[in-house]
Amino acid sequence: MAKITTAFKSLITEERNERTLDLDTLVTSDLVKRIQAEDIEVGLAVQAITEDIAKAVDLAAACLSKGGRMLYFGAGTSGRLGVLDATECSPTFGVEATLVQAWIAGGKEAMFQSFENAEDSLEFGEEDATRANITDKDIVVGITASGRTPYVLGALRKAKERNAVVIAIVNNPISDLHAIADVTIAALVGPEAITGSTRMKAGTAQKMILNLLSTCTMVKLGKVYENLMVDLKPTNEKLRERAVSIICTVCDVPRAIAEGSLVASNNRVKTAILMLKRKIGRATAEELLARSSNSLRQALTTEVTPA
């Protein structure tokens, strides 16, 4: 037990923060400022590992473009952040819900209730990875501040056995995951304002990294034109308004025309834009997109095949 305790305390994320030893003595405004000061450092820590994030993005784009999936595995806060990021990909980028998946120690219930002991099982991670039917086409991302969470380690070991690409998102410089990951993204945010509370700086860094990983991957896959989410699914009033606004902006047309083209395109923003910009029918627009690897930018200049 002594060895485990020593190893645990050697983690940067478990060290005491010398700058916040007096938190319980501060007036409220100073308390907020002190914790805010710690948070400000997070962006710099993520910026310092830009190249590692870029490597992961290129690997993810390559896997997904060949029919693979991106799967997140995490426990506690890290697992919940994975679920949040994966869930947002489908409506934002118009991809199937199965393309980006998240697995959390303890299952769906762990999103709303803490199951702390679930993260301590290598076997649970291996079992979830097996249920996910991981193949050599997939990219598997482990999210854990310590870099040693057994659930995540078990899942990534199983992914490695199946020749998937493995990415580790951690907050310590040396960890068990380093040895098996193809790319390790280690945002060194330092000790937390409240000792060991990795839902704070470490969690914020993980959220930023996941945003970058999924968003940049989708940009590489042609899901974004300029800075517009042209593959969004208009599944509610807000998203439909956004879809119409995007068509108006790109095509410089009145709202009524944009709405009509969206209906005619079967609610596909890219198709609607091509129909208006190139004065073509839906079938031709869809054929152009198919020949352009689903890139709107390419489809806008690809030669139309004569009927």
Side-chain angles (χ1 to χ4, degrees), residues 10-306:
S10 69
L11 299 171
I12 291 176
T13 47
E14 295 299 326
E15 291 178 0
R16 296 195 72 188
N17 191 326
E18 296 294 328
R19 296 183 296 271
T20 60
L21 294 176
D22 60 346
L23 285 185
D24 60 326
T25 71
L26 301 175
V27 299
T28 305
S29 60
D30 288 342
L31 174 60
V32 172
K33 289 176 184 176
R34 188 72 61 84
I35 294 178
Q36 269 187 333
E38 294 298 313
D39 290 340
I40 289 171
E41 301 298 318
V42 175
L44 297 175
V46 174
Q47 186 180 47
I49 53 172
T50 297
E51 291 305 315
D52 292 327
I53 298 171
K55 290 176 186 176
V57 168
D58 284 337
L59 288 170
C63 289
L64 270 57
S65 66
K66 294 176 182 176
R69 303 165 298 164
M70 184 153 64
L71 300 100
Y72 299 146
F73 286 86
T77 296
S78 298
R80 294 180 191 105
L81 290 170
V83 172
L84 176 64
D85 193 77
T87 303
E88 291 292 339
C89 285
S90 181
T92 303
F93 300 111
V95 298
E96 295 297 323
T98 54
L99 188 70
V100 184
Q101 300 180 22
W103 296 75
I104 181 171
K108 292 180 180 179
E109 293 81 2
M111 278 297 295
F112 306 99
Q113 182 177 347
S114 179
F115 292 95
E116 298 297 341
N117 61 328
E119 70 181 57
D120 293 332
S121 174
L122 281 165
E123 291 74 20
F124 287 173
E126 291 171 352
E127 290 169 6
D128 278 355
T130 299
R131 277 194 286 269
N133 294 316
I134 294 169
T135 74
D136 57 3
K137 292 182 179 180
D138 297 327
I139 182 164
V140 178
V141 182
I143 316 162
T144 161
S146 68
R148 62 191 289 277
T149 302
Y151 172 84
V152 178
L153 189 59
L156 266 60
R157 282 177 177 169
K158 180 62 68 173
K160 199 68 174 177
E161 286 177 12
R162 298 191 173 190
N163 297 316
V165 174
V166 171
I167 306 296
I169 298 176
V170 300
N171 299 99
N172 279 280
I174 303 297
S175 71
D176 295 340
L177 290 183
H178 275 73
I180 62 173
D182 295 291
V183 176
T184 297
I185 302 171
L188 305 182
V189 297
E192 297 287 357
I194 296 176
T195 306
S197 184
T198 52
R199 70 183 184 85
M200 301 178 76
K201 290 195 296 183
T204 300
Q206 291 168 5
K207 178 68 169 75
M208 293 175 72
I209 292 165
L210 289 169
N211 278 351
L212 288 165
L213 179 58
S214 59
T215 302
C216 294
T217 296
M218 294 301 166
V219 172
K220 298 280 285 185
L221 293 176
K223 301 295 182 181
V224 173
Y225 175 71
E226 295 178 350
N227 62 353
L228 301 170
M229 53 178 83
V230 289
D231 258 339
L232 68 82
K233 291 181 178 179
T235 52
N236 63 23
E237 185 177 346
K238 179 189 75 173
L239 292 174
R240 189 167 189 83
E241 281 295 311
R242 184 173 293 154
V244 171
S245 176
I246 288 171
I247 296 167
C248 288
T249 299
V250 175
C251 299
D252 192 23
V253 295
R255 177 186 176 87
I257 292 177
E259 287 179 324
S261 69
L262 185 61
V263 171
S265 70
N266 199 21
N267 288 321
R268 294 182 177 132
V269 176
K270 280 181 179 176
T271 303
I273 290 171
L274 278 174
M275 290 168 65
L276 288 173
K277 294 281 280 186
R278 304 203 65 177
K279 297 179 173 55
I280 54 179
R282 186 177 78 188
T284 303
E286 290 175 347
E287 187 265 338
L288 276 179
L289 282 168
R291 287 198 288 121
S292 304
S293 302
N294 207 35
S295 166
L296 177 58
R297 187 173 292 277
Q298 290 184 36
L300 285 168
T301 58
T302 297
E303 184 177 350
V304 176
T305 303

